[in-house]
Amino acid sequence: MRVTALAGGVGGARFLRGLLAALRADPDPARRDAEVTVVVNTADDVTLHGLRISPDLDSVMYTLGGGIDEVRGWGRGEESYGVAGELARYGRTPTWFTLGDKDIATHLVRTQALAEGRTLSEATAELCRRWRPGARLLPMTDDVVETHVDLAVVPEGERAAHDGEAGGRRVHFQEWWVRLHAAVPALAIEAVGAARARPAPGVLEALRGADVVVLPPSNPVVSIGSVLAVPGVREALRATAAPVVGVSPVIGGAPVRGMADACLAAIGVPTTAAAVAGLYADFLDGWLIAEGDEEPEPGPRPLAVRRRPLLMSDPAATAALAGAVLDLAADLAAELGAGRGGAA
Ligand code: GDP
Ligand code: CA
């Protein structure tokens, strides 16, 4: 069985760890030996202090490879910050982006590979030879795509509360997210470069050739939305014979962790499980929502909705959630198969 997932950083990584646990523990050999490919968002990528940083690729790689800081959910465990301290003493900015010493080694390997003319896919493969994440990690593209955010003007009296930010300018997503905690409203969010980006080698094949396509509960705007903005990805999702099944990142009108509501507000979409499904309505076949949440309105294609506990509170709960995704996908595949058999 071939399973292909799209993913952002922390939410995607947590879910994928549960997915791999659910697959590897399954008595069915097809699931147990499933090949998993993850198409990871790279629009959060940023160059700081000359280092090319791919936060979502690293979150997935460290989480699946056992190197993550379990408490924060990002960055390396047992980390130190000697290099960041030295950079600050040189007066180098920004200081708001956390760069741990161990993490910097990853960025050095990536940056050097790119400087030598290798692609981000190749750099990722090199990094994964160490981490052995148990899944094939593909950047969504080898081209440079960066999410930029148009900040609203911050009234004079409120600037002190926002790190002195006056707003009214365009910043890199990371500056909005990390420095400003997405508390300054975004007027627009754009994945710059996405329209001309080419999917990385293997991305479209992994979507077209999958038996199951999974959307973890990643940020629908700046994680999944950025992957979908790469030309060809959405079309491949619409065309794939595999059921596409997702998990809502919104429970009871709120993103469980983080500030995804600020991203949804910027694109004029309500923070509800139903509205997020609407963003995927042209290719989504199955959708898991929380007990109290409303089902999406009927869209352009049939959508099977199930209610399950959606909190990834611990590895067992996360594996159970992933198992529910696989079960829904299997039911949908059986229905599709029966439908085709009937038509023949
Ligand atoms: P990021 O790139 O690090 O922001 O991570 P992702 O985009 O992959 O995932 C972030 C999203 O995960 C957030 O917007 C939350 O809505 C969602 N999320 C976090 N924890 C949970 C959880 O326990 N359950 C569900 N359903 N969603 C979650
Ligand atoms: Ca991210």
Side-chain angles (χ1 to χ4, degrees):
M1 186 164 92
R2 284 158 301 179
V3 180
T4 300
L6 309 187
V10 178
R14 269 213 185 136
F15 177 83
L16 290 165
R17 185 160 61 177
L19 178 71
L20 288 175
L23 286 167
R24 301 309 173 222
D26 202 288
D28 174 358
R31 280 196 189 179
R32 198 169 58 232
D33 302 329
E35 282 172 32
V36 179
T37 301
V38 187
V39 179
V40 183
N41 171 43
T42 59
D44 289 11
D45 291 16
V46 63
T47 301
L48 298 173
H49 308 289
L51 299 173
R52 190 64 182 162
I53 303 170
S54 297
D56 288 0
L57 275 168
D58 288 348
S59 292
V60 174
M61 182 174 77
Y62 293 154
T63 300
L64 299 184
I68 198 77
D69 181 315
E70 291 289 346
V71 177
R72 292 185 306 197
W74 52 268
R76 292 291 313 281
E78 293 169 36
E79 186 57 288
S80 56
Y81 300 92
V83 174
E86 291 301 307
L87 286 168
R89 277 173 215 116
Y90 281 115
R92 289 302 179 116
T93 55
T95 52
W96 44 258
F97 194 91
T98 306
L99 282 173
D101 296 334
K102 290 181 181 175
D103 200 26
I104 285 172
T106 302
H107 309 322
L108 285 169
V109 172
R110 176 184 297 116
T111 304
Q112 189 177 3
L114 295 173
E116 288 166 358
R118 283 182 283 154
T119 63
L120 181 59
S121 296
E122 290 165 336
T124 303
E126 179 183 350
L127 293 165
C128 286
R129 276 200 289 279
R130 170 183 175 193
W131 289 104
R132 304 183 171 278
R136 190 164 59 120
L137 305 192
L138 302 179
M140 66 187 197
T141 179
D142 284 332
D143 298 322
V144 174
V145 176
E146 287 191 352
T147 300
H148 291 182
V149 175
D150 289 329
L151 301 179
V153 172
V154 181
E156 227 32 82
E158 292 170 26
R159 288 179 190 169
H162 294 296
D163 194 21
E165 178 60 48
R169 65 189 185 111
R170 179 166 262 227
V171 296
H172 191 287
F173 168 73
Q174 296 295 350
E175 183 166 1
W176 181 57
W177 199 249
V178 178
R179 181 171 83 89
L180 300 171
H181 310 289
V184 173
L187 302 178
I189 297 178
E190 187 192 352
V192 177
R196 288 181 312 281
R198 291 152 301 175
V203 166
L204 298 183
E205 294 77 0
L207 294 170
R208 292 198 201 109
D211 298 298
V212 179
V213 176
V214 176
L215 300 190
S218 286
N219 187 309
V221 183
V222 294
S223 293
I224 304 288
S226 311
V227 181
L228 296 176
V230 177
V233 169
R234 224 180 165 110
E235 292 71 13
L237 284 164
R238 274 191 217 133
T240 186
V244 181
V245 177
V247 177
S248 173
V250 173
I251 303 178
V256 191
R257 298 182 183 87
M259 306 152 301
D261 47 335
C263 302
L264 287 163
I267 63 165
V269 171
T271 303
T272 65
V276 174
L279 295 172
Y280 309 144
D282 54 322
F283 59 79
L284 193 65
D285 301 304
W287 189 233
L288 296 190
I289 63 174
E291 196 52 52
D293 279 331
E294 275 180 41
E295 291 201 13
E297 299 286 325
R301 74 197 257 156
L303 180 65
V305 178
R306 284 186 188 164
R307 291 193 160 78
R308 288 289 179 278
L310 295 195
L311 264 188
M312 301 190 286
S313 39
D314 57 61
T318 311
L321 175 59
V325 168
L326 294 170
D327 290 343
L328 176 51
D331 292 348
L332 288 167
E335 271 174 39
L336 285 172
R340 284 202 195 99

